[in-house]
Amino acid sequence: MTIPEQYAHIQGWGADLDPADRPAVPMERKPPRLEDAPSGPPTQQAQRVEVLHSIERPGLSSVFGTSVPPSGLSGYMRRQAFKRSENDLRHWLMLIAADRVNAVEGVLEDARRSPGKALAIGAGFVVAAWWLSRASDR
């Protein structure tokens, strides 16, 4: 007795043996070949702003983001972090600290541009100081 004969009593067994028995065969199509696909590495993106990259890589990748170039104190901290290897914990801790400093720089920049926001930020600091002093009195 052959294997297909042994399991012939099981409903649907061996459906994958013959493609004509498969219910999805009419819907299956091979994807078309890519015509005119570029061969080789992509062209290098032009660098118009400072882009930080790991010291463990020889150069910039072909495509990179330039939406927020490093600036201010947070930019200085990022430059210092990228002078270290990626397997150095100080590299990552400096980048995390630079993110926090960048957030404060953004709030201060908003306050500089808009007096209304400056008033709201000042009120927030007053409420936070009051809350912390109240909590320390207990």
Side-chain angles (χ1 to χ4, degrees), residues 20 27 30 35 38 46 51 60 63 66 69 71 74-75 79-80 91 99-100 107 114 118 127 135:
M27 294 188 293
K30 290 184 179 179
E35 302 287 330
V51 178
L60 292 174
V63 180
T66 59
S71 64
S74 63
R79 287 183 199 97
Q80 295 306 310
H91 170 85
D99 284 344
R100 302 314 183 264
V107 168
S114 170
V127 169

Side-chain angles (χ1 to χ4, degrees), residues 1-113:
M1 187 180 261
T2 64
I3 292 179
E5 292 172 353
Q6 288 177 341
Y7 297 104
H9 67 282
I10 299 174
Q11 179 74 20
W13 187 87
D16 57 338
L17 297 178
D18 182 13
D21 293 338
R22 296 178 65 191
V25 166
M27 294 188 293
E28 288 181 357
R29 292 185 296 276
K30 290 184 179 179
R33 305 277 297 162
L34 291 175
E35 302 287 330
D36 302 327
S39 62
T43 57
Q44 179 68 44
Q45 178 182 348
Q47 181 181 356
R48 293 184 174 85
V49 295
E50 179 183 9
V51 178
L52 301 173
H53 66 281
S54 172
I55 60 173
E56 296 159 358
R57 306 190 122 217
L60 292 174
S61 59
S62 296
V63 180
F64 48 85
T66 59
S67 64
V68 183
S71 64
L73 178 60
S74 63
Y76 174 78
M77 292 171 71
R78 290 177 200 282
R79 287 183 199 97
Q80 295 306 310
F82 277 99
K83 289 181 181 177
R84 299 184 181 280
S85 173
E86 287 185 4
N87 68 349
D88 188 351
L89 182 62
R90 292 174 288 187
H91 170 85
W92 298 106
L93 292 176
M94 288 171 67
L95 288 177
I96 291 170
D99 284 344
R100 302 314 183 264
V101 169
N102 194 13
V104 172
E105 287 174 341
V107 168
L108 294 176
E109 181 65 22
D110 283 348
R112 186 183 67 79
R113 282 194 219 157

